[in-house]
Amino acid sequence: MSNVQVAVVTGSNKGIGLAIVRALCKQFPGDVYLTSRDPGRGQAAVTQLQQEGLRPLFHQLDIDDLQSIRALRDFLKEKYGGLNVLVNNAGIAFKVHDTTPFAVQAEVTLKTNFFATRNVCTELLPLVKPYGRVVNVSSMVSFSALKGCSQELQQKFRSDTITEDELVQLMTKFVEDTKKGVHEKEGWPNTAYGVSKIGVTVLSRIQARLLNEQRRGDHILLNACCPGWVRTDMAGPKATKSPEEGAETPVYLALLPSSADAPHGQFVSDKTVKPW
């Protein structure tokens, strides 16, 4: 099967992830994997798309579970010899009125949105084939959260030389600062989701830089994006975009033609590069 192209979308049994799978099934010339933590929900979503005449495949993936990530990695390696498109869409958010203590929200949100997404990248990026496309779904909230950071933190997050280890240290510090109740004093904004998405955006910039250094001839393009404010379980019914509209930019980045050499290492919203 190593000549068959393959795309994987994380967290794709509902919402934007499901809409991305639907669009890729129509436009991507290869196998498309819908993944979810819960196999029952994942299979139900596959059945739904099959009833629409599409042919997605299913693989279990809980990004919070390293064993689960590695099982997918081994499957892709063995069956396809790698991966052509990876869309890191899985993520969580607490509701605005949630009464869970902020320190707990910070730990749980960062664990999935930043640390687990990073684990997926660590395991799967080496599998990405030449001309592959990687899309990390971030959020415009990362911009407002960045503006809410101290000048010192903003400088670090905007740096063109920040390393992955340094970013991990900063994300870890945010969680620790919330536990000590000093996060505002230490220059952090009051949004765990926002900080987690700063992490995703900056991680994308670092990963793109490493691809340039280590695999320049492979023409892999990796970007972060914002799907917009989308009517999902996460954002609620008042949001302005449908899931299909939310999927447009991630799908555009996943399907950049092999002749393209940009965008790469950018933050893209409404198919437009936004300066970080």
Side-chain angles (χ1 to χ4, degrees):
M1 298 282 285
S2 61
N3 56 350
V4 175
Q5 290 201 50
V6 60
V8 170
V9 184
T10 72
S12 49
N13 59 291
K14 64 178 183 177
I16 298 166
L18 180 61
I20 293 170
V21 169
R22 179 183 282 116
L24 288 178
C25 282
K26 293 173 183 174
Q27 300 174 61
F28 177 74
D31 290 351
V32 180
Y33 280 84
L34 182 153
T35 70
S36 68
R37 267 187 306 203
D38 180 303
R41 285 187 203 153
Q43 293 291 1
V46 165
T47 303
Q48 182 191 333
L49 292 180
Q50 284 171 338
Q51 285 164 353
E52 297 172 21
L54 303 173
R55 293 169 60 182
L57 296 158
F58 176 74
H59 201 286
Q60 193 273 345
L61 175 66
D62 176 359
I63 71 165
D64 284 332
D65 176 2
L66 200 49
Q67 300 305 113
S68 174
I69 297 171
R70 288 177 173 160
L72 175 62
R73 176 199 67 189
D74 294 345
F75 169 79
L76 291 167
K77 218 173 188 168
E78 194 183 338
K79 182 160 186 182
Y80 299 94
L83 178 62
N84 303 95
V85 169
L86 172 62
V87 181
N88 281 308
N89 167 76
I92 60 158
F94 283 83
K95 300 292 180 213
V96 178
H97 302 297
D98 197 300
T99 53
T100 306
F102 188 67
V104 177
Q105 292 194 28
E107 183 158 36
V108 171
T109 305
L110 274 279
K111 180 186 176 215
T112 295
N113 293 3
F114 177 73
F115 291 102
T117 299
R118 175 176 175 251
N119 286 340
V120 172
C121 293
T122 301
E123 299 297 334
L124 297 188
L125 282 187
L127 265 63
V128 175
K129 295 182 178 182
Y131 299 97
R133 304 291 181 246
V134 181
V135 185
N136 294 331
V137 178
S138 185
S139 168
M140 281 309 273
V141 178
S142 65
F143 276 73
S144 50
L146 183 69
K147 290 193 181 93
C149 289
S150 66
Q151 284 305 120
E152 188 190 350
L153 281 172
Q154 287 189 43
Q155 220 173 342
K156 287 177 178 172
F157 287 133
R158 288 199 169 106
S159 161
D160 290 330
T161 54
I162 185 173
T163 65
E164 196 168 321
D165 285 344
E166 287 167 343
L167 177 60
V168 165
Q169 281 169 359
L170 285 167
M171 293 289 118
T172 304
K173 183 177 188 299
F174 170 67
V175 175
E176 286 168 0
D177 286 348
T178 62
K179 286 179 183 171
K180 295 179 200 154
V182 298
H183 67 281
E184 286 178 279
K185 192 168 117 271
E186 290 291 317
W188 296 102
N190 242 330
T191 162
Y193 183 77
V195 171
S196 76
K197 293 302 192 178
I198 289 175
V200 172
T201 302
V202 176
L203 182 65
S204 306
R205 287 162 55 88
I206 294 167
Q207 288 168 341
R209 205 171 69 219
L210 289 175
L211 284 169
N212 287 348
E213 290 165 14
Q214 297 162 6
R215 299 184 62 182
R216 195 171 243 319
D218 284 350
H219 306 282
I220 295 164
L221 298 179
L222 182 153
N223 293 284
C225 71
C226 176
W229 193 31
V230 181
R231 292 186 293 278
T232 59
D233 288 352
M234 184 186 283
K238 293 194 182 77
T240 46
K241 286 186 175 185
S242 69
E244 277 56 49
E245 289 167 326
E248 276 179 25
T249 294
V251 169
Y252 155 73
L253 292 171
L255 297 176
L256 286 167
S258 54
S259 57
D261 56 5
H264 178 57
Q266 302 293 340
F267 183 96
V268 182
S269 176
D270 289 321
K271 302 186 188 175
T272 311
V273 170
K274 307 284 182 211
W276 176 253

